[in-house]
């Protein structure tokens, strides 16, 4: 149990489908993140939310649309994806600097494995 | 922009061998440094971290890392690996003023019994 729960764990979708990934953190954190993990590549930061406000968008294509309704929930809406978007999508959360867990330490979920056909 | 290099992509060791995984980062300002581990089928979890003070930091499961500022390095070490250390190891850097971490591409460690 990581304190960060991601659903679904596996998702297969066609290029014309619309689906969403969900992340929920039970740690009382106020920052949430989406990362993309592809084989043999560094984890790629996609989005950062701090107190529900988006603070970073790492030039992510608009076919990925994040939503953060509150500090505990984060969504990634997927639309018209490409096969190269197939990857493991990781959600993480963190506390501000100086609080428990230390400045910047991220707590990760187990990820959603996405396959785009 | 910050970048993180992990030089070893795949390392194979026998049990009881010593381990050293390299990590270098590019940005020269004040940074926080992390090593994360991902066991097969599990989530990324923190192994150890450096914020300030003693550049030799100790983490869980007998791992340690040394921050060498002049070399922009934060190498991970373990004197004697076990089969259960088989996993992927990620180095990450946090720049001051930024919330997110920049990760390296990871090193897959395979420990043979």
């Amino acid at each position: 149990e990581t304190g960060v729960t991601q659903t679904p764990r596996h998702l297969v979708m066609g290029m014309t489908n619309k689906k969403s990934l969900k992340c929920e953190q039970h740690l009382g954190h106020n920052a949430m993140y989406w990362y993309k993990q592809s084989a043999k590549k560094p984890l790629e930061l996609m989005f950062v939310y701090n107190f529900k406000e988006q603070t970073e968008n790492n030039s992510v294509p608009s076919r990925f649309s994040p939503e953060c309704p509150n500090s505990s929930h984060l969504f990634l809406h997927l639309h018209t994806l490409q096969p190269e978007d197939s990857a493991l999508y990781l959600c993480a959360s963190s506390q501000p600097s100086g609080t428990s867990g230390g400045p910047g330490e991220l707590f990760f979920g187990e990820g959603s494995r996405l396959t785009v056909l | 922009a910050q970048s993180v290099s992990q030089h070893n992509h795949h390392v194979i060791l026998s049990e009881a061998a010593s381990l050293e995984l390299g990590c270098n980062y590019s940005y020269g300002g004040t940074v926080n440094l992390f090593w994360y581990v991902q066991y097969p089928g599990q989530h990324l979890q923190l192994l150890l971290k450096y914020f300030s003070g003693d550049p030799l930091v100790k983490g869980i499961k007998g791992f340690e890392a040394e921050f060498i500022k002049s070399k922009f390095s934060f190498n991970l070490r373990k004197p004697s690996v076990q089969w259960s250390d088989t996993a992927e190891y990620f180095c990450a850097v946090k720049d001051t003023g930024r919330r997110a971490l920049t990760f390296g591409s990871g090193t897959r460690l395979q420990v043979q019994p």
Side-chain angles (χ1 to χ4, degrees):
Chain A
E1 177 59 47
T2 73
V4 180
T5 304
Q6 291 188 241
T7 55
R9 294 290 308 279
H10 299 273
L11 178 63
V12 180
M13 59 186 290
M15 289 192 287
T16 58
N17 292 158
K18 288 184 182 181
K19 297 286 184 182
S20 296
L21 306 181
K22 179 183 176 183
C23 176
E24 182 175 2
Q25 58 96 359
H26 313 277
L27 301 169
H29 292 165
N30 56 24
M32 297 187 77
Y33 310 75
W34 280 116
Y35 280 86
K36 176 183 178 183
Q37 185 177 19
S38 305
K40 295 186 172 59
K41 293 175 67 175
L43 271 74
E44 300 172 51
L45 177 68
M46 301 177 72
F47 301 102
V48 181
Y49 278 83
N50 190 27
F51 289 103
K52 305 187 298 178
E53 299 297 321
Q54 188 181 116
T55 55
E56 284 196 54
N57 176 339
N58 200 26
S59 302
V60 180
S62 59
R63 57 185 183 270
F64 294 91
S65 174
E67 178 190 1
C68 189
N70 55 61
S71 293
S72 298
H73 293 85
L74 184 64
F75 296 88
L76 188 63
H77 303 300
L78 314 170
H79 174 52
T80 324
L81 294 192
Q82 305 297 312
E84 59 265 28
D85 297 322
S86 298
L88 183 67
Y89 289 84
L90 296 172
C91 175
S93 68
S94 73
Q95 276 283 46
S97 300
T99 59
S100 62
E105 179 180 346
L106 300 188
F107 293 77
F108 285 88
E110 295 185 338
S112 293
R113 173 75 60 187
L114 173 67
T115 302
V116 182
L117 301 176
Chain B
Q2 179 70 265
S3 66
V4 179
S5 298
Q6 291 183 243
H7 316 296
N8 315 101
H9 296 293
H10 191 191
V11 174
I12 302 174
L13 295 174
S14 298
E15 275 193 314
S18 64
L19 170 72
E20 181 160 3
L21 301 182
C23 173
N24 287 90
Y25 61 95
S26 61
Y27 175 63
T30 302
V31 294
N32 301 137
L33 299 158
F34 305 81
W35 276 97
Y36 280 82
V37 61
Q38 188 173 34
Y39 297 103
Q42 296 188 27
H43 65 281
L44 276 162
Q45 52 190 290
L46 185 70
L47 205 53
L48 49 77
K49 57 193 176 189
Y50 172 81
F51 296 141
S52 63
D54 189 345
L56 184 63
V57 292
K58 296 191 183 298
I60 61 172
K61 305 185 180 184
F63 286 90
E64 64 179 32
E66 185 175 12
F67 170 47
I68 303 179
K69 189 173 182 179
S70 61
K71 295 185 178 180
F72 301 95
S73 71
F74 190 55
N75 292 355
L76 181 71
R77 298 194 292 249
K78 184 170 184 178
S80 176
V81 295
Q82 300 173 316
W83 178 79
S84 57
D85 293 325
T86 295
E88 191 149 16
Y89 293 81
F90 294 89
C91 181
V93 177
K94 177 185 175 298
D95 302 322
T96 53
R98 192 163 180 244
R99 295 300 297 267
L101 305 187
T102 302
F103 283 83
S105 56
T107 297
R108 179 171 295 179
L109 172 65
Q110 185 178 345
V111 180
Q112 297 177 331

